[in-house]
Amino acid sequence: MRDALARWQDTLRAVDGRAENTITAYRSDVQGFLSFLAVHFGDSLGPAALGRVKVADMRAWMAQERAAGLSARSLARALSAVKTFAGWLAEREGYDVTAILATRSPKFRRKLPRPLAEDAARAMLDTVEIQSGEPWVAARDVAVVTLLYGCGLRISEAIGLRGADWPFGEALRIRGKGNKERIVPVLAAASDAVAEYVALCPHDLAPEEALFRGKKGGALNPRLIAKVMERSRLQLGLPASATPHAMRHSFATHLLNAGGDLRSIQELLGHASLSTTQAYTAVDTARLMEVYRSAHPKA
């Protein structure tokens, strides 16, 4: 079973293009499920054991996880990982894993995005700049946060930029989740912020190396950006939801509020499904009602 898990992870990485964080989370979820089965069945597990799993076994595992305090959302993610692994193994070994694949995911209410107001987003950029006494570090932090808000990048996408990506030009090619590529327009403000960082950075920004660096020259740890934003939000009196990812939410919400259409915003964010992007419509119900009243023939 360990060998099967290792091969599955290689497939997720090389074929599906899953991020390392996703692979780590999936592995943990599947290992937890397999540990449950070992105790539940009372013997050591081989890959064929998945073919012995019944609906009652799946219910017992899910009940145990919920009793241990796992949220419905986390359990849904764990079930998704288990199904992905079981389906992959069944396709190669011919096991019948119908009971696993047919298990229904627990229902949960998806969290709405929590963007910053426009003035709060601008204040965040200004406050991030004064968190470090080293000019190049301050410029780096501003550049990264500006990319999150100005281009709607995920923190991993911004940190993953290479020296070869600079200078940006009018658009930036981003490889996001699932190895999916998208083209993102680059605001002049974002280019200017990165240009200032590049001019001040004491490290050699070789084409194959990370564009954003830590103090010792290695690739920037995203946790450092989270920390500088945490200090900034405390100074500004903003809620705990003012995280790096909130800047991406703000990018999408402010575009929508200004008249951007969902399909375009979906492409800019790199969402595989429009339903994911539609969550932003729930953030501003007032705008939806305004569009309805102005656009419907009977309004």
Side-chain angles (χ1 to χ4, degrees), residues 108-130:
F108 61 91
R109 179 175 294 179
R110 293 185 180 275
K111 292 182 179 179
L112 290 178
R114 301 181 69 181
L116 279 66
E118 291 185 33
D119 57 348
R122 287 193 292 268
M124 176 63 75
L125 289 170
D126 293 338
T127 309
V128 162
E129 188 174 10
I130 62 174

Side-chain angles (χ1 to χ4, degrees), residues 155 221-231 233 242-244:
I155 183 66
N221 188 327
R223 179 58 189 153
L224 295 177
I225 300 299
K227 285 183 176 179
V228 76
M229 284 195 62
E230 183 179 354
R231 292 196 298 270
R233 72 169 175 78
T243 63

Side-chain angles (χ1 to χ4, degrees), residues 9 18 36 46 51 70 84 92 115 121 130 137 145 151 180 188 195 206 219 259 279:
Q9 289 172 155
R18 298 296 179 93
F36 165 81
L70 197 67
T84 303
R92 283 153 183 77
I130 62 174
V137 173
V145 177
C151 300
K180 183 180 178 182

Side-chain angles (χ1 to χ4, degrees), residues 130-236:
I130 62 174
Q131 298 305 311
S132 176
E134 295 188 52
W136 81 270
V137 173
R140 177 201 67 192
D141 295 343
V142 170
V144 173
V145 177
T146 302
L147 285 173
L148 304 183
Y149 179 51
C151 300
L153 302 189
R154 300 177 177 91
I155 183 66
S156 59
E157 294 169 346
I159 298 298
L161 292 172
R162 298 288 167 184
D165 294 317
W166 178 257
F168 294 154
E170 294 184 354
L172 193 57
R173 186 180 298 275
I174 296 296
R175 190 176 295 276
K177 284 187 176 181
N179 217 26
K180 183 180 178 182
E181 280 195 355
R182 69 184 190 276
I183 303 298
V184 178
V186 179
L187 295 175
S191 287
D192 292 344
V194 178
E196 183 174 355
Y197 156 70
V198 170
L200 295 174
C201 182
H203 303 294
D204 179 27
L205 303 178
E208 69 281 2
E209 299 293 336
L211 177 61
F212 295 109
R213 306 294 187 85
K215 289 186 177 181
K216 295 182 179 180
L220 177 62
N221 188 327
R223 179 58 189 153
L224 295 177
I225 300 299
K227 285 183 176 179
V228 76
M229 284 195 62
E230 183 179 354
R231 292 196 298 270
S232 299
R233 72 169 175 78
L234 289 173
Q235 293 176 17
L236 293 169

